[in-house]
Structures are given as structure tokens and as C-alpha cells.
Amino acid sequence: ETGVTQSPTHLIKTRGQQVTLRCSSQSGHNTVSWYQQALGQGPQFIFQYYREEENGRGNFPPRFSGLQFPNYSSELNVNALELDDSALYLCASSLWGLGRGSYEQYFGPGTRLTVT
Amino acid sequence: AQKITQTQPGMFVQEKEAVTLDCTYDTSDQSYGLFWYKQPSSGEMIFLIYQGSYDEQNATEGRYSLNFQKARKSANLVISASQLGDSAMYFCAMTTYSSASKIIFGSGTRLSIRP
């Protein structure tokens, strides 16, 4: 069974730039969620994708956007980067549709983004 | 609105002792799930244990057990016989039937095990 993978591991960007983070979900999973974890805080839900469509969104501005591909992998795009976007970005995959909802989410190792 | 509260920013425990990490939650949903994640310094969130709101028995997974007190809205994690490898951040989290697409996390407790 293949686990959740994310790339890149670390990234440094300049304020105002755009960034794309990638996530490959666990084998057999059809749902991907993205979280932002600032230093010293718990993760905050950004959005979730199910069957290539957004299926719920947290309190994040539109410059945070995403995609899910037919193979269930996903991208998180952030435009016009701000210093406060510096954080660990976590991707989690799950299998929606068997009555359990999304509670069994399996997380990847994360991408640490630094905005200078 | 849903909320998770963890009031212990950090804890130190002697190896082999049991430890309880506190968690209280707030939701108006009748159907919800509570769980705990462990986050080592590497950053990956590791799922530990799950408790459904309608589960009558407290959840157990090896050395982990969840002390679920529904009336008090608490879901404390108990780790028996702590080990050095248990040193990490621990997050209590919740998902509800009405917002099942997202997990709400608490602010975490940093657990340090002393040899």
C-alpha cells in the first residue's frame, strides 16, 4: 500500500510570487484535503477535493486554489504570496463513500514553505 | 461552530509512567467523531485513535485509550507505559456530520518523556 507523498519537501519563495504544491494520495483513496499549519499551531483546513471538485472550504482567501486529477492526486496553488503564508502545508487523503465520512484521513509528510 | 480546546501546552512525564492529555470539544451536532493525532518533529501527522459520538465503549488502540465523557464534552487521551518515542506534539481533533469534509484541530500538547 502506497502512502501519501508530497513534493517538494521544502520551498523558499519571495512575497508576491506564486507556488504550487503537489500531493499523491494513498492508493485507493478518492478524496484529498489540504491543511495549513503555522508554527506552534494546529493545522487549519484549507479545502477538500472529491471526484475532482471542491467539497468544502475553510476560511482561506481565493488566492488559495486547488486541483484534483483523475488519478486523485492534487495540487495546491497559492498566488500573491504573503509572509504569513509561511507554514507547513499538509495533504491528507481518505476514502469517501463508505459511510465513514472523511475521519480516516492519512497525512503526508508536508511541504514546508518559507516566504521571505 | 465547532471548537477543540487543549489546555496543556506542554507536559513532562517520566518514562514508563501513564500520561493523560486533556481535550474538550464543543459542537451542536449530535453526530461527530473525535480523534487524536501524533506529530513528531518530522512533521507528519500520525493517526492514533478514533471515537464516534454514538460509540458506547471507550476506544482503545494498543497503549492508547480515549476517555470519552460525552456529558462533559471531553475526550482525553491516555497513554499507558510511556516510552521515549512518545515524545511529540499531540493534537485532539473533531469532524462532524454537518461538516464531514474537514477536521478541526486543537492547538496541541507537546509531550516530553524523560528517561
Side-chain angles (χ1 to χ4, degrees), chain A residues 35 37 48 55 102-103 105, chain B residues 37 39 50 100-103:
Chain A
Y35 294 82
Q37 186 178 18
Q48 182 185 79
N55 180 42
S102 62
Y103 82 85
Q105 296 196 8
Chain B
Y37 281 90
Q39 187 177 42
Y50 170 81
S101 63
K102 69 178 181 181
I103 298 176

Side-chain angles (χ1 to χ4, degrees), chain A residues 22-75:
Chain A
R22 294 178 174 83
C23 171
S24 292
S25 58
Q26 184 163 311
S27 177
H29 284 181
N30 57 13
T31 304
V32 174
S33 302
W34 286 92
Y35 294 82
Q36 180 196 65
Q37 186 178 18
L39 195 62
Q41 299 182 19
Q44 299 290 317
F45 175 74
I46 302 175
F47 44 56
Q48 182 185 79
Y49 277 83
Y50 170 63
R51 290 185 175 177
E52 302 178 51
E53 291 193 3
E54 192 176 282
N55 180 42
R57 189 180 182 93
N59 188 27
F60 280 81
R63 59 189 185 84
F64 285 79
S65 62
L67 285 173
Q68 186 183 31
F69 300 100
N71 65 355
Y72 303 127
S73 65
S74 176
E75 286 183 355

Side-chain angles (χ1 to χ4, degrees), chain B residues 24-91:
Chain B
T24 57
Y25 62 92
D26 189 26
T27 180
S28 56
D29 279 47
Q30 296 301 307
S31 179
Y32 52 88
L34 296 156
F35 34 97
W36 282 85
Y37 281 90
K38 172 184 178 181
Q39 187 177 42
S41 56
S42 60
E44 186 171 355
M45 300 289 280
I46 302 169
F47 171 82
L48 294 178
I49 196 167
Y50 170 81
Q51 178 87 39
S53 58
Y54 295 115
D55 294 341
E56 295 185 354
Q57 301 286 334
N58 284 345
T60 60
E61 292 285 349
R63 294 187 299 114
Y64 304 107
S65 61
L66 197 152
N67 184 3
F68 181 46
Q69 298 189 37
K70 196 169 183 177
R72 298 179 60 187
K73 292 191 173 180
S74 74
N76 298 341
L77 176 71
V78 180
I79 306 174
S80 63
S82 57
Q83 303 171 357
L84 295 178
D86 294 334
S87 294
M89 281 291 288
Y90 287 80
F91 290 96

